[in-house]
Amino acid sequence: ILKEIVSFLDKRPLFTRNIVGVEEGIYRSMAGNADEMIVVGKLIKMGFNCSRVDVTSSKYDAVIDKKGRLLRIQIKATKTDTLDLTSGGRSGQQISRDAPSRVKKLTEKDCDIFIGVLKESAICYVIPAKDLKNFGNNVNLKTISSYKENWDNIK
């Protein structure tokens, strides 16, 4: 029964979206910031000393202090059944479509921990960066089910 309840809750949206009608491009940025803050809030509630990185061009979104060692956290949100494991992709009408792609797969050089967060439920997938090499540029959530809410992966 508990498994059925968890499965039901996984599919229920927790957040009302854009009820004030902010322009879509601006809202997308706001929602991305909110998704990062949700992950940071979860980490702080677990007892980690955690801070967001305010430099938007940084390779990582947050840092945590784990027993005196700083770990770089990359956070990506999704509303689909896949997670994007790349960086450098940007969208919006101000971005030239003729510019060469800067998209590249994330590696241990970019972060120590990758955390994927579901936009609708705030469920997180906690993946050590060393494991990213086992996947392509995108990964299906079913493939990474062992990482779901697995906060012990922060090492």
Side-chain angles (χ1 to χ4, degrees):
I1 292 176
L2 183 58
K3 201 173 204 177
E4 288 176 31
I5 292 170
V6 169
S7 178
F8 172 75
L9 291 174
D10 280 358
K11 294 176 180 86
R12 289 193 51 91
L14 295 178
F15 306 103
T16 303
R17 302 222 166 254
N18 200 4
I19 62 173
V20 297
V22 174
E23 187 270 317
E24 185 57 33
I26 293 170
Y27 179 74
R28 198 171 27 252
S29 292
M30 290 170 62
N33 285 324
D35 294 328
E36 289 176 9
M37 287 189 256
I38 287 167
V39 172
V40 168
K42 284 178 125 178
L43 288 163
I44 291 169
K45 282 189 165 231
M46 285 180 237
F48 288 105
N49 183 356
C50 181
S51 296
R52 272 184 81 212
V53 173
D54 290 330
V55 179
T56 56
S57 61
S58 175
K59 292 287 185 189
Y60 46 92
D61 302 306
V63 292
I64 61 172
D65 181 340
K66 175 123 190 231
K67 298 180 181 175
R69 190 170 137 243
L70 288 182
L71 299 175
R72 302 163 299 156
I73 310 294
Q74 173 65 46
I75 302 166
K76 293 276 189 162
T78 187
K79 60 182 175 182
T80 69
D81 61 353
T82 62
L83 270 172
D84 178 11
L85 304 178
T86 66
S87 70
R90 291 284 178 249
S91 63
Q93 55 189 152
Q94 78 281 10
I95 304 299
S96 170
R97 302 294 183 234
D98 298 325
S101 174
R102 297 177 300 157
V103 174
K104 72 175 200 76
K105 174 83 179 290
L106 290 164
T107 70
E108 290 177 84
K109 291 179 182 177
D110 304 308
C111 62
D112 300 301
I113 304 289
F114 176 94
I115 300 178
V117 58
L118 303 186
K119 288 180 176 281
E120 301 297 331
S121 64
I123 291 170
C124 294
Y125 290 76
V126 184
I127 306 171
K130 67 178 179 53
D131 291 357
L132 294 174
K133 66 182 175 291
N134 299 326
F135 312 110
N137 287 353
N138 296 288
V139 64
N140 188 287
L141 298 179
K142 288 180 183 171
T143 303
I144 58 170
S145 61
S146 64
Y147 297 96
K148 184 177 181 179
E149 292 294 322
N150 191 345
W151 299 99
D152 290 335
N153 280 334
I154 297 178
K155 296 178 180 158

